[in-house]
Amino acid sequence: MGRALFPALVRAVLTAVAALALRRAGTDNGAIPGWALAGLGFGGVMLLGGQASIVRANLDHADWRDADSVTSWVVGTLVVAATVGVIGSLAAQRAPAQVPSAADDPALELPAGQRLAWLARTSIPWLQAVSAVTGLLAIAVVVGALAGLADPPVALAAPPFALACVLVLACSSVQARVTERGLDVSFGPLGWPSRRWVLEDIESARTENRTPAQVGGWGYRLSGLGTTVMLRGGECLVIRTAKGKDFAVSVDDAEHGAALLNSLSART
């Protein structure tokens, strides 16, 4: 009974997490962000493919030790799941490009001989909760397999859960810092990975109001608006690089960050 209930419990938890995510992701026009479509597509194929692999491997065998190899099925499932995830993400990323405001970019008067810096940090608690749930699921799958509550092949689900835990945690918080060296944007509780632009690589800085629906969801998004680190809808710090590309990060007090960047660039 335990071997049958454990996979069902895992699916129930994943369904609850998906329902919560879609509730948070819902927009007035009913659009579902690309990350939600990609995640649900990938996760759904992985669950179905994993279960099918285990059932097929154990057909006509009285003991799981005699089960057939599931390697080819697992590889095939990963390929199909990744393809479905990419298709779901691309299908949702159709936000129209916006023309930057014609208003003057913000600027500050910098006192002579003084060094100024600007720091802002944003986190998204429910995404941190999703990371915690996927991490606990990875542990539960391994413990369940070792305790005999599920067949050992079920433990193959642990690595995807662990990977999802790390990736989601890295996208759950962001920190932006403006100094005389330029703009630094770091991710996650450890500040890694990170991106840096020196002042010479920044053409201008401004603020824009953006929503998850416009950029295709939460996290690190690529859309018609350029690259956006979206952790909450509202004011974003947007830079136009020397290559003509836009990068935006959703942080509080973005106007002061943009003003300081423009002033520092004008002083160099």
Side-chain angles (χ1 to χ4, degrees):
M1 180 65 70
R3 294 182 177 182
L5 289 178
F6 185 76
L9 177 61
V10 172
R11 289 185 179 83
V13 173
L14 287 177
T15 301
V17 172
L20 175 61
L22 285 178
R23 182 178 179 182
R24 292 280 187 170
T27 60
D28 294 337
N29 60 7
I32 299 178
W35 71 265
L37 289 177
L40 290 177
F42 181 87
V45 173
M46 285 298 298
L47 285 175
L48 293 176
Q51 186 65 30
S53 301
I54 294 173
V55 172
R56 177 183 176 279
N58 286 276
L59 283 177
D60 301 324
H61 296 294
D63 194 306
W64 65 267
R65 297 179 182 84
D66 301 325
D68 299 329
S69 173
V70 297
T71 302
S72 59
W73 276 67
V74 170
V75 173
T77 299
L78 284 171
V79 173
V80 174
T83 302
V84 171
V86 170
I87 292 175
S89 179
L90 293 177
Q93 292 181 9
R94 295 181 178 178
Q98 292 183 347
V99 178
S101 173
D104 293 336
D105 294 329
L108 294 174
E109 292 186 6
L110 301 181
Q114 293 188 13
R115 294 184 177 182
L116 299 179
W118 171 85
L119 179 68
R121 181 179 177 85
T122 302
S123 62
I124 181 165
W126 73 265
L127 203 57
Q128 294 173 333
V130 171
S131 174
V133 169
T134 54
L136 290 174
L137 282 173
I139 297 175
V141 167
V142 174
V143 172
L146 294 177
L149 297 177
D151 292 335
V154 176
L156 293 174
F161 286 145
L163 179 61
C165 173
V166 174
L167 293 178
V168 173
L169 183 62
C171 294
S172 65
S173 63
V174 64
Q175 177 177 281
R177 180 175 59 182
V178 175
T179 64
E180 293 182 343
R181 294 182 299 178
L183 172 65
D184 290 282
V185 177
S186 56
F187 304 87
L190 300 179
W192 185 90
S194 64
R195 294 194 63 179
R196 173 180 295 178
W197 293 264
V198 297
L199 293 178
E200 291 76 9
D201 292 335
I202 300 175
E203 181 178 302
S204 63
R206 65 184 189 277
T207 61
E208 282 185 11
N209 286 323
R210 296 186 179 184
T211 66
Q214 289 176 314
V215 301
W218 284 277
Y220 197 94
R221 311 305 304 173
L222 301 176
S223 67
L225 298 176
T227 302
T228 304
V229 180
M230 176 58 64
L231 271 72
R232 56 109 181 97
E235 189 179 51
C236 297
L237 168 62
V238 186
I239 62 170
R240 172 64 59 87
T241 68
K243 297 181 180 180
K245 298 181 179 180
D246 284 353
F247 178 91
V249 55
S250 58
V251 290
D252 297 330
D253 194 34
E255 184 175 0
H256 282 91
L260 182 56
L261 269 176
N262 289 326
S263 299
L264 290 173
S265 296
R267 196 168 67 176
T268 57

